[in-house]
């Protein structure tokens, strides 16, 4: 995982209440900085999923969020 864990957890927490529009998530989490791949890491790790125009937390993402210290 390349993204700092606190930022990854912030992304997961933002989806805990339910799916959000893809455009809204991209406005908040997309970056061109190769040292800050929060969105990319969340997708690669299977923590979030995109269903058409919505982004949702996966079971793995919810478990990661619940396991935070």
């Amino acid at each position: 995982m390349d993204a700092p864990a606190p930022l990854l957890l912030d992304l997961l927490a933002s989806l805990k209440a339910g799916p959000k529009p893809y455009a809204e998530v991209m406005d908040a989490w997309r970056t061109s900085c190769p040292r800050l791949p929060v969105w990319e890491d969340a997708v690669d790790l299977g923590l979030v999923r995109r269903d058409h125009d919505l982004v949702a937390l996966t079971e793995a993402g919810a478990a990661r969020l619940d396991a935070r210290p």
Side-chain angles (χ1 to χ4, degrees):
M1 182 180 328
D2 294 332
L7 289 177
L8 187 60
L9 291 173
D10 284 348
L11 169 59
L12 300 179
S14 74
L15 296 169
K16 187 174 183 176
K20 290 189 174 186
Y22 176 77
E24 181 180 323
V25 175
M26 287 297 92
D27 282 345
W29 292 101
R30 179 179 38 214
T31 179
S32 60
C33 178
R35 294 184 181 262
L36 195 59
V38 177
W39 167 253
E40 291 84 357
D41 284 354
V43 171
D44 289 347
L45 294 168
L47 304 175
V48 298
R49 71 174 182 275
R50 182 175 177 196
D51 293 323
H52 303 285
D53 291 332
L54 294 176
V55 175
L57 204 53
T58 64
E59 287 185 27
R64 175 67 176 97
L65 191 56
D66 290 342
R68 67 184 163 187

